[in-house]
Amino acid sequence: MSAATPLPQERRLVTAIPGPKSQELQSRKLGAVAAGVGTTLPVYVSRAGGGVLEDVDGNSLIDFGSGIAVTNVGNSAAAVVEKTTEQLAAFTHTCFMVTPYEGYVAVAEQLNELTPGDHAKKTALFNSGSEAVENAVKIARAYTKRQAIVVFDHGYHGRTNLTLALTAKNMPYKQGFGPFAPEVYRVPVAYPYRWLTGAENAATEAAKQVIDQINKQIGAENVAAIIIEPIQGEGGFIEPAKGFLPAIVEFAKENGIVFVADEIQTGFCRTGQWFACEDEGIVPDLITTAKGIAGGLPLSALTGRAEIMDAAQTGGLGGTYGGNPVACAAALGAIETMKEQDLNGKAQRIGEIMLGRLQAMQEKFEIIGEVRGRGAMIAVELVKPGGKEPNAEATAAIAKACHAEGLVVLTAGTYGNVLRFLPPLVMPEHLLVEGLDILESAFAGV
């Protein structure tokens, strides 16, 4: 697909999902690809754009996943296509550590400007979110001369050995892959829906518990960094109770601890702001980004206070492909698109529509325990009727029903009981509404 030939923005089913060509490709996948690489919905995509995915059988599906919050600007956004095409024709690689190029510097300048805070900042570029998080740990340790890293219940930070140590959920991420990196400590998060004494107490009580655990079990003077997602992604789109994050930031500041905001899933207009931590005026010391940064190309970044970012010795940061020139060109095109099309405003509009419809569904369907999220990062947590026991079975059944009707939805949550919605920020409203209609029918059928 090119920018000149956009896909029709319509749901169209011409075969069962998945269709015969997708089934044939899935058979080939099972024979050629490692079994550990799973697939949520085995429809094989041939084209994508706007709010739809077109598969090899000619079906057109509504996309409520965005490749897990990656295609915020849509697939093959015009500015991304234009800039990457130009870069491909010029050169594909030199390695920035050998002979550098302007694109890397330009992306760093954009991130230094866009991320929260008006202090002097610097940026380093990598390939994946896991790499960005690992380098945040490296830099925090180099800067503080400390070792301990504090993370939170329900957090997700990646699939490498160190980031698996930081990640909370065992299956499927950690099972059988240990031992994991040492000096990682997990503390509670202010999860309003499941806080035992009530949501109104979550922020104060959770912050007190966190600070008490750090002081008693680790020693604040030993902590290099506290790392948290401002809205936890894989953990179930958990938005910590208001006041919790500011309390943790203040504790970190008082004790010389580097506060790291993991904005890999929440960044780049996804929540209706450039970065989710802006909602409570939080200015992190370091911020990790990836996913939505480059319109679908592999790129990640670590941005932060210049004095912290400069703590690593020359040669201590980098990687052969980090800040690849084509990916940098894509990032510049994606950021340009976000600004020109006011994707923060579009994310806010998506949130208004989705929250209104989902809250109405909550009144009708007892299994919807909570509707939560901001902007175009929305979720529903499903429970068994009459209480808050997680309902993973209904979650899987509803996702399956949506898939059969041509709506791509994702699940999440420590308990496997959360449906999460991440539509492209450029999705036309009629597709958003149609997708919600399909979702409501799926709830009615459970």
Side-chain angles (χ1 to χ4, degrees), residues 298-419:
L299 186 69
S300 68
L302 175 63
T303 302
R305 297 183 185 277
E307 67 272 19
I308 300 177
M309 290 295 295
D310 282 343
Q313 65 273 15
T314 301
L317 306 179
T320 302
Y321 297 108
N324 169 269
V326 181
C328 286
L332 294 171
I335 291 169
E336 177 184 304
T337 303
M338 293 171 200
K339 291 177 177 178
E340 290 185 352
Q341 296 189 20
D342 183 22
L343 293 194
N344 279 318
K346 290 192 176 180
Q348 291 166 21
R349 176 61 180 156
I350 288 170
E352 291 172 6
I353 294 171
M354 294 200 82
L355 287 172
R357 283 290 304 275
L358 292 169
Q359 286 162 357
M361 290 184 211
Q362 186 178 17
E363 295 294 319
K364 294 173 62 176
F365 304 111
E366 193 178 359
I367 62 171
I368 299 179
E370 184 177 47
V371 176
R372 57 179 178 251
R374 295 205 309 265
M377 187 173 183
I378 304 295
V380 292
E381 179 163 353
L382 304 190
V383 295
K384 294 184 178 177
K388 291 188 177 182
E389 184 181 347
N391 196 338
E393 299 80 10
T395 306
I398 289 167
K400 183 178 180 180
C402 289
H403 295 165
E405 291 300 318
L407 174 65
V408 178
V409 298
L410 307 175
T411 60
T414 301
Y415 312 109
N417 68 321
V418 176
L419 290 165

Side-chain angles (χ1 to χ4, degrees), residues 74-435:
N75 260 287
S76 300
V80 173
V81 171
E82 179 183 346
K83 291 182 184 296
T84 54
T85 301
E86 290 174 1
Q87 184 58 56
L88 278 166
F91 62 94
T92 59
H93 177 77
T94 68
C95 185
F96 190 76
M97 298 182 299
V98 179
T99 52
Y101 37 88
E102 183 181 2
Y104 188 119
V105 177
V107 171
E109 289 170 338
Q110 287 278 340
L111 292 173
N112 295 342
E113 178 184 340
L114 286 171
T115 51
D118 56 7
H119 51 274
K121 299 176 204 157
K122 290 192 176 181
T123 289
L125 301 180
F126 307 100
N127 303 290
S128 69
S130 296
E131 276 189 84
V133 173
E134 290 221 5
N135 280 278
V137 171
K138 287 163 57 177
I139 288 175
R141 285 174 168 166
Y143 178 72
T144 62
K145 312 302 184 196
R146 305 170 179 179
Q147 293 187 343
I149 305 297
V150 173
V151 290
F152 292 80
D153 288 340
H154 309 290
Y156 178 89
H157 300 287
R159 293 177 181 265
T160 58
N161 184 270
L162 174 56
T163 56
L164 281 176
L166 305 177
T167 291
K169 189 175 180 179
N170 180 53
M171 281 293 291
Y173 307 118
K174 302 169 74 164
Q175 177 67 28
F177 297 147
F180 301 110
E183 288 300 312
V184 173
Y185 301 87
R186 195 170 314 284
V187 294
V189 72
Y191 185 168
Y193 182 65
R194 294 196 173 274
W195 198 255
L196 289 178
T197 61
E200 67 278 6
N201 300 315
T204 302
E205 292 181 0
K208 184 178 179 181
Q209 287 184 27
V210 168
I211 293 166
D212 187 61
Q213 279 188 227
I214 292 173
N215 283 329
K216 288 194 170 86
Q217 298 180 24
I218 311 165
E221 69 276 11
N222 296 316
V223 178
I226 295 172
I227 306 175
I228 191 168
E229 305 154 273
I231 299 176
Q232 294 181 313
E234 298 293 324
F237 285 19
I238 300 164
E239 184 176 4
K242 298 297 183 190
F244 175 75
L245 289 176
I248 302 303
V249 170
E250 184 61 28
F251 172 77
K253 185 177 180 181
E254 290 172 352
N255 289 277
I257 300 168
V258 176
F259 181 84
V260 184
D262 180 341
E263 294 257 11
I264 287 163
Q265 191 162 165
T266 53
F268 297 101
C269 308
R270 174 53 58 183
T271 65
Q273 295 168 293
W274 280 100
F275 301 99
C277 62
E278 295 177 66
D279 187 65
E280 292 188 88
I282 289 167
V283 178
D285 298 310
L286 299 177
I287 182 168
T288 61
T289 53
K291 289 190 182 290
I293 193 174
L297 274 73
L299 186 69
S300 68
L302 175 63
T303 302
R305 297 183 185 277
E307 67 272 19
I308 300 177
M309 290 295 295
D310 282 343
Q313 65 273 15
T314 301
L317 306 179
T320 302
Y321 297 108
N324 169 269
V326 181
C328 286
L332 294 171
I335 291 169
E336 177 184 304
T337 303
M338 293 171 200
K339 291 177 177 178
E340 290 185 352
Q341 296 189 20
D342 183 22
L343 293 194
N344 279 318
K346 290 192 176 180
Q348 291 166 21
R349 176 61 180 156
I350 288 170
E352 291 172 6
I353 294 171
M354 294 200 82
L355 287 172
R357 283 290 304 275
L358 292 169
Q359 286 162 357
M361 290 184 211
Q362 186 178 17
E363 295 294 319
K364 294 173 62 176
F365 304 111
E366 193 178 359
I367 62 171
I368 299 179
E370 184 177 47
V371 176
R372 57 179 178 251
R374 295 205 309 265
M377 187 173 183
I378 304 295
V380 292
E381 179 163 353
L382 304 190
V383 295
K384 294 184 178 177
K388 291 188 177 182
E389 184 181 347
N391 196 338
E393 299 80 10
T395 306
I398 289 167
K400 183 178 180 180
C402 289
H403 295 165
E405 291 300 318
L407 174 65
V408 178
V409 298
L410 307 175
T411 60
T414 301
Y415 312 109
N417 68 321
V418 176
L419 290 165
R420 56 173 165 167
F421 310 115
L422 295 159
L425 306 184
V426 296
M427 174 174 280
E429 286 190 11
H430 75 272
L431 283 180
L432 187 65
V433 171
E434 185 177 0

Side-chain angles (χ1 to χ4, degrees), residues 56-77:
V56 291
D57 290 287
N59 299 298
S60 180
L61 288 76
I62 299 173
D63 182 13
F64 272 16
S66 297
I68 316 182
V70 169
T71 54
N72 294 5
V73 297
N75 260 287
S76 300

